[in-house]
Structure formats: structure tokens, C-alpha cells
Amino acid sequence: SDQIKVGIVGYGNLGRGTIEAIKKCSDMKLVAIFTRRAPESLSINEPNVEVLHISSAEEYKDKIDVMILCGGSATDLPEQGPYFARMFNTIDSYDTHAKIPDYFGMVDEAAKAGGKTSIISVGWDPGLFSVNRLMAEAILPSGETYTFWGKGLSQGHSDAIRRVEGVAGGVQYTVPIEEAVERVKSGENPELTTGEKHRRVCYVVAKEGADRAKIEQDIKTMPNYFADYETEVNFITTEELKENHSKLPHGGFVIRSGKSGEENKQIIEYSLNLDSNPEFTASVLVAYARAAYRLNKEGQAGAKTVFDVAPGYLSPRSAEDLRRDLL
Ligand code: NDP
């Protein structure tokens, strides 16, 4: 068939979401999932999909058109990104903002050496939000761009809560402060720090006999994570944690408020409201996988970001169809 043959590296939240996202695309076929763990230890029931150890990926060089890298940004991708870019067209969701330039350089070198195309830092932020920040700024050079996150579950902050003494479990939601949002939407162009834009709401399960007042204090004063924010701590039971907080919702919005001439205020807004952050992020990765495949066919080797990919490459439909129906 002329379907695009896709592989997945890493079976976590994003890996699972990618399986679902590929099923929605009739022009794509999932060939194999690669993992560092023992493949038979993962209970994956996908007919016609191989589950293999990551060390056998090289043998699939001619059987897979695009590899979707679903590892974490902290330690997996800095290693897996350049390694796979040498052998496959790749997509990843590298999101350590400060290190993106270095990561781009490493992947670019590897991809060019192998004649492959790698689109890095794909997802919603970085990703779709980045595209919207760029467009808004280019269109309204005189103005301010604001990014608000949430309401959404932050994995990093939830991990931080769970490291506090006396805590058995917990989650943290990042919530935009309504008043700040309203000021921005009114075109006031306020100066706001991240802490003035967001509050942090925690749901915590305390260990038996633990000092709750101390837990609350330890969370609220934790540097970098909570100290600079308005933080709320709610104690709940293990059952409530499981029942009400096991999904991974997220979202947010990018707003640019500026003036076109001397007088007229113009507001651009793009927003996302997501039941599942990883499943949505995976859907973005899959659309960009189609683009990587096509760019490579055109001989455009090397690393790319969402800024380098024209929107038409994301769609399975022909340019002619798109002009007729969506323009
Ligand atoms: P996970 O922690 O679920 O998975 C990361 C890797 O850890 C997997 O690829 C897997 O590798 C391994 N792993 C997963 N579960 C287990 C387990 N139970 N035991 C041992 N190893 C396991 O991370 P997510 O999928 O939630 O997120 C991945 C990355 O996605 C994040 O680091 C973030 O950078 C990025 N992201 C980006 C977004 C964006 O908008 N750009 C939005 C959301 C996420 P293996 O199978 O090889 O063991």
C-alpha cells in the first residue's frame, strides 16, 4: 500500500496517545513500537503491530518512513533524538525551552549526515502555540504576546508535591488568574510575571499521622515551584485522587494585543481546551509526521521546527482540494 509507515519509540502516555492518533489517519499505518523495556513485559494488544526492543530499530530502516519519538525531554530525547535522526525521519516533542537551540544543532547534524528530515519540538507548547505567537507578532509588530496555561495538570509540579515529606500522593493544576486574563483581553497590555498570570491548586493525600499543616507549609514555600505563586492546598483521600484526578487535562491560550495604526486595538486569540494532554499532543505529532515524510521526499534534509513547515504539508488532502474547500 502507499500508506506512510510509522514507528513509535517509547511507550508512555505520549506513546499510547500516538497509537490512537494513527488510527484516525487512513493514510498512515503503525508498523512497530520500540521500547527499552522487555517488549513482552508490556501488555500491548494491537493486531499487526510489532513490539520490539529499541536495539533492533536499525533493522527497520527500510521498513519505516517516520519514527515518532515519545520519550521524555529531560533525559530520553537528548540521547534518542540524534541517534534516531541519523537513521529515520523523526518527530519529537522536546519541550525544554532553554535548550532547544542546542538540541536543534545536535539533531540537525545527525539528520543531515543520514539524509533524513527531523521536525523537533512539536506539540502544543512548544508547537501550535509557537506558530500562533509567531504569526501574531508578525502581523501586529506593535503589541504584546501573552501565554496562559491551564487549567491543566502539570506533571513536574505533581512530581514535586509527591517528594514532600508525609505525602502519599497528589496532583497539581495550573490555573490562569481570571483577572489577569481580563486585563489582557481588554487591550490594556499589562506587565505580568508568570506568577501574576497563574495560580497553583494542589490536591494532596497525606500519609497516616502526617502533619498536614507542615505539608501545606512545605509545598507553599517550595522555591521555583510554588513560592512565587498563589498556591492552594486541598487534602483528599486516595479514592478521591484516583476517581477525580487520574486524567491529564490541559490547555491554555495565546493572546496578542496590539495596535495596527495609531488608534485601533486588535486582539488575536488562540485557545485549547484538552481532556487529555498526551493524546492531543500525539495527534499533533502524527500530523507533523506526514509533513516530515513529504519534506524528505522533496530532499529537504536536516532538523526543522514548526516554523519551517508550511500548513499544507500537515493535511492528507491535496493542495487542489485544500484550495477548493478550506481557503
Ligand atoms: P512518560 O513518562 O509517560 O514516558 C516517557 C518514557 O518513559 C516512555 O517513552 C517510556 O520509554 C518510559 N516509560 C513510560 N512508562 C514507564 C513505566 N511504567 N516504567 C518504565 N518506563 C516507562 O512521559 P509522557 O509520555 O507523558 O511525556 C513525554 C514527553 O512529552 C514529556 O517529557 C514532554 O517533553 C513531552 N510533551 C510535550 C508537549 C508539547 O506540547 N510539546 C505536551 C506534553 C508532553 P520506554 O518504553 O523506552 O521504556
Side-chain angles (χ1 to χ4, degrees):
S1 80
D2 49 10
Q3 280 175 308
I4 302 171
K5 298 186 282 297
V6 182
I8 292 176
V9 176
Y11 186 68
N13 296 313
L14 212 50
R16 280 189 290 276
T18 302
I19 296 174
E20 297 308 312
I22 292 170
K23 287 179 187 164
K24 300 273 185 197
C25 301
S26 57
D27 63 330
M28 293 195 184
K29 176 183 166 29
L30 177 60
V31 173
I33 300 165
F34 299 92
T35 178
R36 290 165 295 189
R37 286 167 281 169
E40 61 281 3
S41 73
L42 307 181
S43 45
I44 304 176
N45 286 313
E46 296 296 328
N48 309 318
V49 177
E50 292 185 87
V51 182
L52 302 157
H53 192 260
I54 200 165
S55 58
S56 61
E58 197 170 353
E59 295 155 34
Y60 283 72
K61 260 160 75 170
D62 302 322
K63 296 178 199 153
I64 286 173
D65 297 315
V66 189
M67 204 65 114
I68 301 186
L69 309 183
C70 297
S73 296
T75 54
D76 300 342
L77 292 175
E79 197 182 302
Q80 296 177 348
Y83 175 76
F84 281 97
R86 211 171 278 278
M87 301 186 279
F88 296 93
N89 300 316
T90 66
I91 298 295
D92 69 56
S93 69
Y94 187 74
D95 71 353
T96 312
H97 287 258
K99 294 185 183 162
I100 287 175
D102 285 345
Y103 183 70
F104 180 91
M106 294 194 308
V107 174
D108 190 46
E109 196 185 323
K112 280 182 176 148
K116 300 295 178 186
T117 306
S118 293
I119 313 178
I120 69 153
S121 300
V122 174
W124 58 278
D125 198 358
L128 301 177
F129 274 16
S130 321
V131 172
N132 282 277
R133 284 189 286 258
L134 181 154
M135 295 217 335
E137 187 186 289
I139 293 162
L140 295 175
S142 161
E144 286 294 330
T145 303
Y146 300 85
T147 302
F148 288 89
W149 294 280
K151 182 190 177 186
L153 188 133
S154 156
Q155 212 78 64
H157 288 80
S158 300
D159 289 344
I161 292 178
R162 292 191 282 261
R163 288 193 294 266
V164 169
E165 199 191 322
V167 170
V171 292
Q172 191 263 191
Y173 296 93
T174 305
V175 184
I177 296 175
E178 204 50 48
E179 189 211 333
V181 176
E182 287 315 315
R183 286 177 65 193
V184 167
K185 286 189 180 174
S186 75
E188 189 188 315
N189 283 10
E191 262 188 50
L192 298 167
T193 62
T194 322
E196 289 167 332
K197 289 193 292 181
H198 303 96
R199 30 189 207 104
R200 304 206 171 277
V201 181
C202 311
Y203 294 91
V204 180
V205 179
K207 285 184 184 155
E208 210 167 304
D211 180 348
R212 292 185 173 203
K214 183 166 184 304
I215 291 174
E216 182 164 347
Q217 182 67 11
D218 286 352
I219 292 173
K220 287 182 168 174
T221 56
M222 197 188 296
N224 303 319
Y225 286 92
F226 296 101
D228 303 330
Y229 294 85
E230 179 192 327
T231 300
E232 179 186 313
V233 176
N234 304 288
F235 288 95
I236 58 172
T237 64
T238 308
E239 291 69 41
E240 285 170 321
L241 182 69
K242 222 176 140 192
E243 186 102 339
N244 304 329
H245 304 284
S246 48
K247 276 205 182 180
L248 300 169
H250 221 311
F253 29 96
V254 174
I255 303 173
R256 182 150 182 100
S257 133
K259 280 188 182 160
S260 43
E262 293 305 318
E263 267 179 57
N264 295 315
K265 272 194 229 168
Q266 319 280 19
I267 308 273
I268 301 174
E269 181 176 341
Y270 178 79
S271 78
L272 293 173
N273 190 340
L274 312 171
D275 268 358
S276 163
N277 176 7
E279 229 175 71
F280 180 77
T281 302
S283 302
V284 184
L285 296 178
V286 167
Y288 276 91
R290 186 179 288 124
Y293 172 73
R294 290 171 168 173
L295 288 169
N296 190 258
K297 286 230 147 177
E298 293 177 358
Q300 296 202 46
K304 313 275 173 204
T305 72
V306 291
F307 297 151
D308 307 309
V309 180
Y313 285 88
L314 305 178
S315 173
R317 302 167 68 185
S318 72
E320 191 184 19
D321 269 18
L322 293 173
R323 279 193 294 272
R324 188 190 57 225
D325 296 339
L326 299 185
L327 209 55

